[in-house]
Amino acid sequence: MLCVCGAPARGAADDVLRATLENGLRVVIVRNTLAPVVATSMNYLVGSDEAPAGFPGTAHAQEHMMYRGSPGLSADQLADIGSLMGGNFNANTRESLTQYLFTVPAEDLDVALQIEAARMRGVLDSKQG
């Protein structure tokens, strides 16, 4: 699930858009004009309860792998782009959810979504990147 939050007035139901893409990705857009930023929240419905027997921490390890880069986007490029935009990355893993958060200036939403799309297509699973 992708949630993109710009800035909505409280209680304004018209400021929430929900859609499901052809590939099954559920998108929720919440408009909020209180600040000139957008926040993406990529929610993968898999977490620590999916770890194979004998391999605790697998989901959390994969969470960290997402910051090693993707094909066409190295870890250094990911960090540099986020820094140059004044963006903020974060992530967390729970029992049934792994969540990636990215907050950027509103004018950089397209860049943030391109980064998230690249990470959805694949991650580098080695220290090279």
Side-chain angles (χ1 to χ4, degrees):
M1 175 190 310
L2 167 65
C3 179
V4 178
C5 301
R10 289 188 184 266
D14 293 341
D15 290 335
V16 177
L17 172 70
R18 298 173 192 273
T20 301
L21 304 182
E22 287 182 19
N23 64 4
L25 179 70
R26 291 181 287 173
V27 178
V28 178
I29 299 174
V30 180
R31 182 169 164 72
N32 183 329
T33 58
L34 293 176
V37 300
V38 293
T40 63
S41 175
M42 300 298 299
N43 298 291
Y44 295 87
L45 302 179
V46 62
S48 60
D49 59 2
E50 299 286 330
F55 294 94
T58 303
H60 192 165
Q62 184 64 38
E63 171 195 318
H64 285 268
M65 299 291 274
M66 292 287 277
Y67 292 99
R68 289 191 173 174
S70 299
L73 182 67
S74 73
D76 288 341
Q77 289 171 323
L78 177 62
D80 289 347
I81 292 169
S83 178
L84 289 170
M85 289 190 304
N88 179 30
F89 288 106
N90 203 350
N92 61 73
T93 302
R94 300 179 190 165
E95 289 81 10
S96 60
L97 176 77
T98 302
Q99 182 176 57
Y100 299 90
L101 310 164
F102 193 12
T103 303
V104 299
E107 65 267 15
D108 294 321
L109 175 60
D110 59 334
V111 176
L113 292 176
Q114 289 296 324
I115 288 171
E116 295 300 355
R119 296 193 321 168
M120 275 194 271
R121 284 190 295 272
V123 298
L124 300 176
D125 55 4
S126 69
K127 289 190 179 184
Q128 277 79 16

